[in-house]
Amino acid sequence: MGLLFEQIDSQPSVIGEITLRRRKIPALGDRDIYEVKLGEEFLMSSMFVDAEVALSDIGLGETDGDNLSVVVGGLGLGYTAVAALKHQRVSELLVVEYLQPVIGWHQQELVPLGKDLNADPRNRYIHGSFFDLAIADPQTGGFDPESPGKQFDAILLDIDHSPRALLHDSSASFYSTENITLMARQLKPRGVFAMWSNEGEDDEFMAVLRDVFIDVDCHVVSFFNPFQNKESFNTVYVARKPG
């Protein structure tokens, strides 16, 4: 079966030490499970990716037309990005990631989905803060450094655990009507904003979304958790820009 645990990489980042690990759990078979930690905080695992995939499937399922330009905020282990690229209507994908080591893991193919992302010419990594780029003046900045003022068909966000449980305090102001409105400038008319959350529907955040968007909904994505021997769930918020 090989090693049951391996630390693949650990590097300092602007918000703390970030670590990539691989483990096997014999009771779950001979599969490699990839994990990411930030300091002592557990961030993500390849064990639980249903909602990360659903973020792309639900969000892009609400978009109109073809030749879609899509932004994914947060690279993680790559599941949301790869799920987006499986939609043939996507012609361009920008994956915005704040932590350079995470981009490096994919570029060096230290994580399984790095190979898929590197091989797809539609994909481009953007090293930067999603939250800063989201509220930048579109005429001088925005998500695409090669094309200030560009608008997108969909923005898919998976960074914080929820609008209340943040990876870093610096993102707290994003979940406000003011800053969501600023981000929406980078969406085309009828463009879609979708966001993953580890928690149940947040009434306050739903109200913020309704201030800015139409067709606001919160989807529950259930999955089996073998550690708890029961169903767990995440949520996916989805909303549309008027137009």
Side-chain angles (χ1 to χ4, degrees):
M1 180 175 281
L3 290 174
L4 294 181
F5 178 86
E6 178 185 8
Q7 182 167 296
I8 298 172
D9 188 38
S10 186
Q11 295 186 44
S13 79
V14 289
I15 57 174
E17 190 83 7
I18 188 157
T19 302
L20 175 65
R21 316 188 304 186
R22 178 173 55 216
R23 71 169 67 242
K24 294 181 187 292
I25 300 175
L28 300 179
D30 189 25
R31 61 179 289 194
D32 287 324
I33 299 167
Y34 288 80
E35 302 170 337
V36 178
K37 291 184 68 179
L38 181 64
E40 294 304 312
E41 182 179 4
F42 183 80
L43 288 190
M44 65 196 72
S45 167
S46 62
M47 280 281 296
F48 307 111
V49 301
D50 301 68
E52 284 87 344
V53 172
L55 172 60
S56 283
D57 291 344
I58 293 171
L60 296 179
E62 293 294 326
T63 58
D64 301 326
D66 297 310
N67 298 315
L68 302 179
S69 293
V70 179
V71 172
V72 167
L75 175 54
L77 291 171
Y79 286 92
T80 298
V82 167
L85 291 170
K86 290 181 179 179
H87 289 255
Q88 295 305 307
R89 294 187 300 136
V90 172
S91 63
E92 175 186 40
L93 182 71
L94 275 61
V95 185
V96 180
E97 173 56 53
Y98 189 41
L99 303 180
Q100 182 60 51
V102 176
I103 296 176
W105 296 339
H106 288 77
Q107 291 174 326
Q108 299 168 47
E109 300 181 2
L110 298 179
V111 290
L113 296 185
K115 184 175 181 179
D116 297 310
L117 292 175
N118 296 336
D120 197 314
R122 296 174 294 167
N123 176 62
R124 182 157 37 116
Y125 302 112
I126 305 294
H127 179 217
S129 165
F130 173 91
F131 301 108
D132 290 343
L133 298 178
I135 64 173
D137 183 347
Q139 299 310 310
T140 57
F143 291 119
D144 190 347
E146 298 178 5
S147 185
K150 184 170 185 172
Q151 289 186 313
F152 299 88
D153 297 282
I155 297 172
L156 312 175
L157 176 59
D158 177 6
I159 295 179
D160 288 322
H161 296 304
S162 78
R164 312 294 155 221
L166 311 176
L167 290 186
H168 194 268
D169 291 344
S170 60
S171 65
S173 62
F174 173 75
Y175 302 97
S176 65
T177 298
E178 178 183 3
N179 283 343
I180 296 288
T181 299
L182 292 177
M183 179 200 66
R185 296 178 299 176
Q186 295 190 63
L187 280 171
K188 296 177 183 177
R190 292 190 57 79
V192 170
F193 171 64
M195 191 186 85
W196 173 92
S197 174
N198 189 49
E199 299 180 356
E201 182 174 326
D202 185 305
D203 292 340
E204 184 177 339
F205 185 59
M206 288 287 284
V208 168
L209 293 177
R210 291 190 179 106
D211 285 341
V212 181
F213 298 109
I214 60 173
D215 302 335
V216 176
D217 202 355
C218 183
H219 299 258
V220 174
V221 181
S222 299
F223 54 91
F224 181 70
N225 186 330
F227 299 127
Q228 298 178 350
N229 196 31
K230 66 177 184 179
E231 289 286 304
S232 294
F233 74 93
N234 297 151
T235 49
V236 173
Y237 296 91
V238 63
R240 186 186 311 279
K241 183 176 177 178

